[in-house]
């Protein structure tokens, strides 16, 4: 029997595993993709204290090594269903069935899609959701980054060092990104800003050739080799809808103590209702959730 089953190995899940193992518990982490979650896509983590200049991928590997060294079991499989019977949680994956006393849902959130014609067709053929992963394919070429948040700003600056030309397309006149990032983008003469512009279509032949925008009701076509979509995150909590309360946006309702409305079920990191979604807040949630799961186990078993 698992003590804490952790669904998702981003900073929340991996920190929860570290805390769970240090509490002497039997911890199992389920991850269908690479450990690290959204952190993997960040070229440089600038606001996690003490790491210095470190990429998100490096921080992910460090956290992974730490939880494995402490003895957490990593199951590289996708969780397909979770149910609770008489206080025991049953977890189904493609490859097996597991039982656990508690669950910490730490599955994060996925990159939001634009939902315009051509986006899906050209996904992987010019449309990308990860500048760190795909940026080098466009060395010396043109790239459009869509979005006005931290991710879009960071990715535009990252691509400016690789591509010949970078456009930042944002639907409003002001960027949402933190001040220093927004300033760096606005000051960069390598990044051409197209503000007040809404993407309406991705155009291509075998691969992306352009993006069509609407600016004040007027269409404009910008030729490009790549389109990096950086328009935020969206939770994927459909499989938990029967056991956890979700808010209107699909996030799991849980407070700062990471407790959900169901005993023994916790939610940590980007997946829960919270005002701030950062690596450090996810890691903090992981610590809180594992500590409260430990308390729950001590009180009930
Ligand atoms: P975000 O902060 O939610 O920003 C999303 C951006 O995309 C916004 O500018 C939004 O426009 C725009 N947008 C949303 N839907 C759109 C659509 N359908 N069409 C066109 N534009 C659309 O997302 P993010 O930048 O990915 O960041 C996600 C979270 O991770 C945030 O909490 C962020 O702070 C955090 N993060 C932190 C760091 C860091 O600390 N270094 C780095 C990356 C991410 P509006 O502004 O008009 O709403």
């Amino acid at each position: 029997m698992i003590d804490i089953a952790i669904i998702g190995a981003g900073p929340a899940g991996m920190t929860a595993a570290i805390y769970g193992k240090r509490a002497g518990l039997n911890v199992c982490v389920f991850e269908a993709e690479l450990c690290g979650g959204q952190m993997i896509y960040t070229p440089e983590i600038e606001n996690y204290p003490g790491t210095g200049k470190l990429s998100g991928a490096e921080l992910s590997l460090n956290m992974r090594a730490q939880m494995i060294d402490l003895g957490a079991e990593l199951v590289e499989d996708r969780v397909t269903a979770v149910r609770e019977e008489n206080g025991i949680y049953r977890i189904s994956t493609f490859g097996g069935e597991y039982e656990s006393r508690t669950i910490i849902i730490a599955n994060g959130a996925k990159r939001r899609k634009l939902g315009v014609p051509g986006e899906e067709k050209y996904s992987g053929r010019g449309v990308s959701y990860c500048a760190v992963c795909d940026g080098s394919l466009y060395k010396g070429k043109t790239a459009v980054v869509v979005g006005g948040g931290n991710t879009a700003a960071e990715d535009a600056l990252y691509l400016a060092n690789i591509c010949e030309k970078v456009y930042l397309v944002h639907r409003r006149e002001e960027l949402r990104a933190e001040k220093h990032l927004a300033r760096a983008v606005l000051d960069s003469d390598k990044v051409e800003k197209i503000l007040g512009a809404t993407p309406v279509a991705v155009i291509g032949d075998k691969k992306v050739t352009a993006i069509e925008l609407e600016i004040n009701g007027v269409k404009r076509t910008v030729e490009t080799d790549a389109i990096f979509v950086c328009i935020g995150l969206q939770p994927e909590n459909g499989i938990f809808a029967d056991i956890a309360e979700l808010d209107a946006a699909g996030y799991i309702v849980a407070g700062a103590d990471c407790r959900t409305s169901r005993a023994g079920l916790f939610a940590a990191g980007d997946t829960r209702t919270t005002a701030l979604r950062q690596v450090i807040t996810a890691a903090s949630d992981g610590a809180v959730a594992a500590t409260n799961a430990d308390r729950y186990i001590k009180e009930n078993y």
Side-chain angles (χ1 to χ4, degrees):
M1 171 83 70
I2 302 166
D3 291 318
I4 309 181
I6 299 169
I7 303 175
M14 292 196 281
T15 307
I18 290 165
Y19 273 70
K21 285 314 297 180
R22 285 174 52 84
L25 299 171
N26 181 8
V27 173
C28 193
V29 183
F30 296 86
E31 175 55 65
E33 296 168 21
L34 290 174
C35 290
Q38 292 299 315
M39 187 163 64
I40 296 173
Y41 308 131
T42 305
E44 194 182 316
I45 306 271
E46 277 188 347
N47 50 4
Y48 193 89
T51 53
K53 276 195 181 296
L54 199 67
S55 71
E58 287 170 309
L59 186 55
S60 302
L61 287 174
N62 289 352
M63 287 190 188
R64 184 186 190 281
Q66 194 171 346
M67 73 166 183
I68 298 292
D69 285 351
L70 283 165
E73 189 188 342
L74 178 62
V75 177
E76 293 174 298
D77 199 355
R78 186 169 296 282
V79 172
T80 54
V82 174
R83 58 194 195 284
E84 189 227 296
E85 281 164 22
N86 304 322
I88 296 298
Y89 287 94
R90 299 188 197 286
I91 298 151
S92 306
T93 68
F94 283 133
E97 298 283 324
Y98 302 81
E99 286 187 348
S100 184
R101 296 190 162 101
T102 66
I103 289 188
I104 297 175
I105 302 172
N107 60 335
K110 293 275 184 281
R111 292 268 175 117
R112 182 178 288 128
K113 305 226 159 117
L114 277 170
V116 300
E119 181 184 23
E120 208 167 311
K121 180 174 176 191
Y122 293 108
S123 184
R125 289 190 285 156
V127 173
S128 169
Y129 300 85
C130 176
V132 178
C133 318
D134 300 331
S136 62
L137 299 172
Y138 302 99
K139 196 169 183 325
K141 297 191 173 177
T142 300
V144 166
V145 175
V146 182
N150 281 346
T151 305
E154 283 181 348
D155 285 4
L157 294 168
Y158 176 77
L159 291 166
N161 288 324
I162 298 172
C163 301
E164 173 68 27
K165 174 91 192 161
V166 176
Y167 294 94
L168 181 84
V169 170
H170 179 40
R171 64 185 178 184
R172 289 187 300 123
E173 297 295 330
E174 281 150 31
L175 300 183
R176 174 189 292 273
E178 283 166 40
K179 252 189 187 148
H180 79 284
L181 276 172
R183 179 56 36 219
V185 169
L186 295 173
D187 288 349
S188 169
D189 47 19
K190 282 180 132 186
V191 180
E192 185 172 331
K193 280 67 70 178
I194 307 179
L195 301 176
T198 307
V200 288
V202 173
I203 297 163
D205 41 40
K206 285 186 179 147
K207 48 192 177 58
V208 165
T209 56
I211 185 166
E212 190 172 81
L213 308 173
E214 198 174 285
I215 306 169
N216 293 328
V218 178
K219 295 257 169 73
R220 173 176 169 188
T221 301
V222 176
E223 288 183 8
T224 184
D225 302 292
I227 299 168
F228 289 89
V229 180
C230 308
I231 59 165
L233 302 172
Q234 123 182 340
E236 286 192 344
N237 286 325
I239 62 165
F240 306 116
D242 288 341
I243 58 160
E245 187 189 342
L246 308 184
D247 74 359
Y251 290 101
I252 296 172
V253 176
D257 60 4
C258 298
R259 292 179 200 270
T260 68
S261 50
R262 190 179 289 266
L265 182 69
F266 302 84
D270 287 0
T271 196
R272 81 168 174 93
T273 44
T274 175
L276 190 60
R277 295 190 167 90
Q278 305 271 301
V279 176
I280 191 151
T281 53
S284 163
D285 269 13
V288 171
T291 303
N292 283 334
D294 180 35
R295 278 195 194 123
Y296 170 85
I297 291 166
K298 287 200 174 96
E299 284 163 13
N300 290 280
Y301 290 93

